[in-house]
Amino acid sequence: MAMDEESFELLLETVRRYVRDRLIPLERQVDREDRMPEEVISEMKEMGLFGLTIAEDYGGLGMSMEEEVRFVFEMGRTSPAFRSVFGTNLGIGSQAIVFGGSEEQKRHYLPKMASGEIIGSFALTEPDTGSDAMSVTTKAVRDGDDYVLNGTKRWITNAPRADVFSVMARTAPERKASSISCFLVPADTPGVRLGKPDEKMGQHGTVTCDVVFEDARVPASALLGGEEGTGFKTAMKVLDKGRLHIAALCVGIAERLIEESIAFTTERKQFGQPVSEFQLIQGLLADCVTEAQAGRAMVLEAARAKDRGDRIVGQIAAAKYFCSEMVGRVADRAVQMHGGAGYISEYPVERFYRDVRLFRIYEGTSQIQQLIVAREAIKAYKEG
Ligand code: COS
């Protein structure tokens, strides 16, 4: 369900102001300290940001996909670490429950996720299982009324802050989708252990680490939807939505980088005039603007198609592929337009250059998106 237009516009305006006045001035500190100030987390809870996409029946604002991407465009104007604070609750940390949870599981978890009282986290990737998601080796074995989980999940976003994990685990040995089940595992379950925080190239202030399950015992009621074998398809649906969200974030960041580049090049003088007057700089800028506009259009169109209930797997993969690659090119040109200043951490483009590298990798690499785009196109052709 969508919000009413007036409340939505008001929310966008509030977020725009919050990003500009509160978050942008904190960007450098968060990058340097690799730590998110607790006050920011509390403010985001007060603003209701953790529950934007969760249905109103479960305490959220019930944003449509189009509203979500328009909101994310705004969040993209600052470091992605800020969005990540509540990002898993909006997306990959809550959506398995939204798509596949029983009514009881929804009532138990979603209102607390919407308020930010608990943090949800999505545990799919493993040390030896990344792109080939169907090959997860974490096992869940039925034992009386319980399941016992063993295995390691890697690079799990928000794991150090998480209260509950959606864990994809194998309940049957064959390599097929129906061998994977999803379990909702509270972080304080005996046998659940966190690894040390990962040290990353960029996106400082976001937290990731290993999550290790050693004979972690959960009741059968922790099985998502009470049914074995639905985990893989649920994970794919969660990732579809997550990928569109990430594509929107890439567009927002590209727009910020463009603004930074215009501000810099119109001030910076060489050969007696602002460097923005030089056509070679204008060529770089024009490529950035054009590509960011194309990305915005792709994201909005895919979001509208998702809201209509169309089959959008290929369209979303194309948007994630294009926008994550696009923001990489924009960041590279932004550094170039800044010249030497672009390599100095005082200027935001240096930080964004590192931050955006991840978008081509997480929630499915560019190569996986290419594979999905091609598969879906061939399927559509064959189906006429
Ligand atoms: N929505 C719903 N169902 C889907 C789906 C989607 N987006 N994608 C696949 N499925 C279904 C398929 O229809 C198929 O169903 P049947 O068994 O009934 O035919 C089943 O799931 C298996 O799909 P498929 O055969 O396509 O699986 P593959 O092993 O070939 O690979 C890819 C699928 C590569 C697309 C998947 O493993 C993937 O997305 N990998 C990347 C994982 C990733 O993004 N990791 C990032 C970490 S999480 S932050």
Side-chain angles (χ1 to χ4, degrees):
M1 198 170 56
M3 294 174 67
D4 72 84
E5 190 57 27
E6 203 181 320
S7 319
F8 179 64
E9 286 299 335
L10 202 67
L11 177 92
L12 277 194
E13 191 42 46
T14 309
V15 168
R16 227 171 261 142
R17 244 182 296 120
Y18 184 64
V19 165
R20 188 189 58 218
D21 300 339
R22 173 72 169 137
L23 301 183
I24 290 179
L26 280 174
E27 286 175 350
R28 243 192 120 194
Q29 175 194 319
V30 169
D31 182 54
R32 266 201 315 249
E33 295 178 0
D34 199 0
R35 195 185 63 81
M36 186 57 60
E38 285 302 320
E39 315 85 79
V40 168
I41 301 177
S42 306
E43 288 157 14
M44 288 174 168
K45 283 183 193 169
E46 272 164 40
M47 290 169 75
L49 300 187
F50 286 74
L52 297 176
T53 61
I54 292 175
E56 282 172 296
D57 286 353
Y58 302 105
L61 285 180
M63 270 188 180
S64 65
M65 195 70 220
E66 182 179 346
E67 287 166 343
E68 181 176 341
V69 298
R70 287 172 63 197
F71 163 78
V72 177
F73 290 153
E74 300 299 331
M75 282 308 300
R77 304 183 85 84
T78 186
S79 294
F82 294 116
R83 183 216 56 99
S84 182
V85 170
F86 54 86
T88 52
N89 276 29
L90 295 196
I92 58 175
S94 68
Q95 294 302 308
I97 303 172
V98 170
F99 293 136
S102 65
E103 190 51 35
E104 203 183 330
Q105 289 166 337
K106 288 181 186 174
R107 295 251 163 248
H108 183 70
Y109 286 113
L110 295 180
K112 289 186 197 139
M113 284 191 185
S115 67
E117 183 186 333
I118 64 169
I119 300 291
S121 177
F122 180 73
L124 171 66
T125 302
E126 299 179 348
D128 295 319
T129 306
S131 293
D132 182 8
M134 206 187 277
S135 294
V136 292
T137 57
T138 295
K139 277 202 190 82
V141 177
R142 181 96 196 200
D143 182 29
D145 289 339
D146 299 333
Y147 282 91
V148 179
L149 274 71
N150 278 287
T152 298
K153 297 293 179 180
R154 179 140 294 172
W155 303 319
I156 303 305
T157 300
N158 270 345
R161 297 186 187 128
D163 298 282
V164 60
F165 296 101
S166 305
V167 183
M168 303 306 147
R170 179 165 296 286
T171 42
E174 304 82 22
R175 191 192 174 283
K176 55 182 185 181
S178 58
S179 296
I180 314 292
S181 302
C182 177
F183 293 87
L184 304 174
V185 182
D188 60 4
T189 304
V192 176
R193 186 169 57 77
L194 299 182
K196 67 173 175 46
D198 299 315
E199 288 178 28
K200 302 182 289 297
M201 173 195 288
Q203 302 220 1
H204 295 159
T206 62
V207 282
T208 62
C209 70
D210 280 7
V211 185
V212 184
F213 301 91
E214 289 159 332
D215 290 331
R217 183 175 286 271
V218 288
S221 59
L223 179 62
L224 188 79
E227 208 186 322
E228 282 190 13
T230 62
F232 184 80
K233 288 188 188 179
T234 302
M236 290 301 112
K237 283 193 225 157
V238 169
L239 285 172
D240 279 339
K241 188 169 187 299
R243 287 165 182 166
L244 190 48
H245 182 109
I246 296 301
L249 188 62
C250 293
V251 170
I253 295 178
E255 291 173 351
R256 165 79 187 275
L257 286 164
I258 289 167
E259 260 176 34
E260 292 289 341
S261 301
I262 294 173
F264 182 85
T265 56
T266 50
E267 283 294 319
R268 170 81 173 164
K269 290 198 177 67
Q270 289 296 287
F271 303 102
Q273 57 178 331
V275 294
S276 60
E277 302 290 319
F278 292 107
Q279 289 182 342
L280 290 178
I281 295 289
Q282 290 179 358
L284 291 170
L285 181 64
D287 287 350
C288 293
V289 172
T290 306
E291 290 199 78
Q293 284 180 8
R296 183 177 263 265
M298 278 178 101
V299 168
L300 281 170
E301 185 48 36
R304 286 172 189 144
K306 189 165 190 334
D307 286 335
R308 285 196 301 270
D310 295 356
R311 185 175 164 80
I312 36 66
V313 174
Q315 208 176 337
I316 286 181
K320 162 57 162 84
Y321 174 42
F322 179 79
C323 293
S324 59
E325 295 280 337
M326 176 276 288
V327 76
R329 291 189 293 271
V330 169
D332 188 70
R333 293 184 199 115
V335 169
Q336 197 65 21
M337 285 187 270
H338 278 69
Y343 205 67
I344 302 294
S345 53
E346 210 174 296
Y347 291 85
V349 294
E350 180 273 339
R351 187 181 59 250
F352 279 113
Y353 182 81
R354 287 183 280 114
D355 287 349
V356 302
R357 190 60 185 85
L358 185 59
F359 296 130
R360 288 146 69 185
I361 299 170
Y362 78 170
E363 299 205 20
T365 59
S366 286
Q367 290 65 35
I368 288 295
Q369 310 311 325
Q370 286 176 296
L371 177 149
I372 297 172
V373 171
R375 272 189 192 177
E376 289 292 314
I378 293 166
K379 193 177 340 164
Y381 173 82
K382 286 189 176 162
E383 286 168 1

